[in-house]
Amino acid sequence: MPSHAETYLAQAAEICRTIDPAEVEAMVAALVALRARGGRLFILGVGGSAANCGHAVNDFRKLCAIEAYAPTDNVAELTARTNDEGWESVFAGWLEVSRANDKDAVLVFSVGGGSRERNVSPNLVLALEYAKQHGLTILGVVGRDGGYTKQVGDHVLVIPTVDPNHITPHSEAFQAVVWHGLVCHPDLMARANRWEGLARS
């Protein structure tokens, strides 16, 4: 009987084999266009995905020269909005104050993609409604069936479900795989990572 580690890694390999590379390339093209028009990238997520957002902001800014932000990095504003206005509107309110517009884009990292009917990640749903109303490009890396993000998004990659018991760890892990694939894409990368630069010197 295979160990848990063997099973988990085999599942990860299966996800790698079944992810749609054309969708990744479409996301790259959308991000290249975003940078060319001087737009900003707002990266949204909750829970473990929120931690991924902060890391991704660093990579898109430093490696791709894209102006990027994650509302969850500003804990003071996030908690003030939660306390005063409610959790559901924190991201939409942040986009509104940022005057997010049709030059900009949102990138959603989420396991379920948000669902109003199930009251799951309603803050993502309201933010995406704002994005649709104001003409933002909507990108996403999500799990399960993609939820509301997949329904309304322009380029949304759904991480294949290979084991219903590991949807969350695989979805959050492959958010990192996908965004790292984006930021090192030759069409998008504007500056090499330090270690790759040292290897060539």
Side-chain angles (χ1 to χ4, degrees):
M1 181 176 178
S3 68
H4 170 77
E6 290 172 317
T7 299
Y8 184 84
L9 292 172
Q11 290 172 352
E14 178 64 19
I15 292 171
C16 281
R17 285 191 294 270
T18 53
I19 281 178
D20 183 4
E23 192 61 73
V24 178
E25 294 291 340
M27 293 174 72
V28 169
L31 290 164
V32 168
L34 173 74
R35 182 174 60 193
R37 65 177 179 264
R40 300 164 296 171
L41 180 63
F42 300 101
I43 310 180
L44 310 178
V46 297
S49 298
N52 283 342
C53 291
H55 184 161
V57 162
N58 165 69
D59 289 350
F60 281 108
R61 293 178 70 92
K62 185 173 182 290
L63 302 177
C64 301
I66 292 175
E67 186 178 350
Y69 302 96
T72 44
D73 284 347
N74 186 340
V75 67
E77 181 176 351
L78 186 74
T79 53
R81 288 186 178 280
T82 301
N83 190 60
D84 297 345
E85 302 157 21
W87 178 238
E88 292 186 5
S89 63
V90 290
F91 295 152
W94 205 91
L95 291 173
E96 182 179 6
V97 170
S98 299
R99 296 178 179 83
N101 59 71
D102 58 6
K103 287 179 60 177
D104 302 323
V106 295
L107 170 58
V108 173
F109 290 154
S110 175
V111 174
S115 171
R116 174 173 280 110
E117 294 75 22
R118 295 179 181 178
N119 195 33
V120 176
S121 300
N123 42 25
L124 293 178
V125 173
L126 288 181
L128 290 172
E129 288 178 346
Y130 179 95
K132 288 294 287 184
Q133 291 165 5
H134 292 82
L136 280 76
T137 301
I138 297 174
L139 311 172
V141 182
V142 294
R144 294 176 59 88
D145 63 359
Y148 190 69
T149 304
K150 179 62 176 175
Q151 292 173 28
V152 302
D154 298 295
H155 303 289
V156 178
L157 180 69
V158 178
I159 303 303
T161 298
V162 298
D163 184 339
N165 295 313
H166 294 153
I167 291 173
T168 296
H170 285 319
S171 297
E172 293 182 346
F174 274 87
Q175 291 166 9
V177 171
V178 172
W179 102 63
H180 281 105
L182 296 173
V183 300
C184 72
H185 193 288
D187 290 349
L188 196 56
M189 193 174 197
R191 178 180 179 183
N193 283 292
R194 181 170 188 267
W195 287 108
E196 283 77 356
L198 289 174
R200 289 193 291 269
S201 61

